[in-house]
Amino acid sequence: MDELPTLPTGRRVKLLNQNDRLFHVIIAQQFDRELIEHLCRIAEMTRAIHDARAGARFLNTVLSHKRAMLYFIQPSTRTFLSFTSACQILGMPYNDVRDTSTSSEVKGETEDDTIRVLSQYFDVIIVRHPQEGFAENMAHMLNAMPRNIPIVNGGSGKDQHPTQALLDIYTLYRNLLPSPLDCLRHDHDHNPFAGKTIAFVGDLKRGRTVRSLSYLLARYPDVRMLFVAPDELQIGEDISAYLDRHDVNYEYKADLKDVIADCDAVYMTRLQDEHDVAGESKNIDLSRFVLTADMADRFRPKLIIMHPLPRRREIDKRLDADPRAKYFDQVRNGMWIRTALMAYLFNADGTILDHYHSYYSY
Ligand code: NCD
């Protein structure tokens, strides 16, 4: 299993999908443009359906026959709560393990065995884990078991956070299209990212959300990405090699104020110092990687300001009331896109689509 990360991406994706459909959700490279747009559409329909009491009641039956486990052994607020909210919206009971000191792991049970055991009770396991390849390895392990259930990666060490990338791209769609409802259209020829500049700022080396979102954005021709970070925290060479292979236009930058006027979206991140081995990031000067209130006069009128949260000091709080600040919208979008993803994983996206079309005629 240790050799897994060296497998070519296409092979990894094949092992995680079943019948050409997503089964385990582990890496952002599993999502093509059609699937991203499909999930955005299901998310948009779900939130419209949920607006009416009868609609919310319908959604509450969609996955009431399935059960979810959240195995979250790294701290989490939003990812945890948005997945539990998604489960509640779809009527799916859930349970969680957040503290292994209360599980049999203290008696020496391995994490592999814990996952095998959990797979007997539940129909999906959402995993947040500090170790990069853990979720993927568990997916492969379950593939070899008589009872196989999907593993969903809710954050894998410094590597990836594919469901965060989905909510980020959903947020971008909702703001780049003329109206959020345009997410409902089947217009695969329209590329809302063409000619757009998106800057990623901060700790790009260890920020898994940026890594996953870069893979998704690489699906859209003519997008321009700026990686704005101190040298020590610049995005990994595996990502730049991927972008090179996919002919994506990207540049490295070292000062946010030099590029802010060119940005259609700016994606801020915090220092990921929990990954420090010996406090090595403590003395890095981050002053050039802060979105300050005095930059606002250079913002484009429709700039999209994003942050996966939690925030420290990298966005001035005075910008929170600016209509271009979308980081709290991202939180809510995360709940709806994860609802769409859970429905999709259990083949219930069609049920939501049919319901929508029988009640609304968009
Ligand atoms: C992020 C994470 O855990 O990777 N948070 C989240 O899921 N929204 C970002 C972070 O912790 O900085």
Side-chain angles (χ1 to χ4, degrees), residues 252-271:
Y252 300 114
K253 299 284 177 185
D255 197 334
L256 178 55
K257 74 173 167 353
D258 295 343
V259 299
I260 191 64
D262 293 342
C263 294
D264 297 289
V266 59
Y267 190 105
M268 304 299 300
T269 67
R270 70 175 172 90
L271 181 69

Side-chain angles (χ1 to χ4, degrees), residues 292-298 316 318:
T292 58
D294 62 11
M295 287 178 183
D297 54 2
R298 275 175 293 147
D316 190 319
R318 283 173 292 172

Side-chain angles (χ1 to χ4, degrees), residues 78-79 128 161 164 208-209 270 272 308-310:
R78 280 149 291 269
T79 307
R128 171 168 283 207
H161 195 347
Q164 173 74 37
R208 56 194 175 190
T209 71
R270 70 175 172 90
Q272 307 277 318
L309 304 178

Side-chain angles (χ1 to χ4, degrees), residues 196-216:
K196 301 294 182 198
T197 296
I198 301 177
F200 294 101
V201 187
D203 189 344
L204 311 184
K205 184 179 181 179
R206 305 173 296 182
R208 56 194 175 190
T209 71
V210 171
R211 295 170 50 78
S212 289
L213 185 53
S214 302
Y215 285 121
L216 294 192

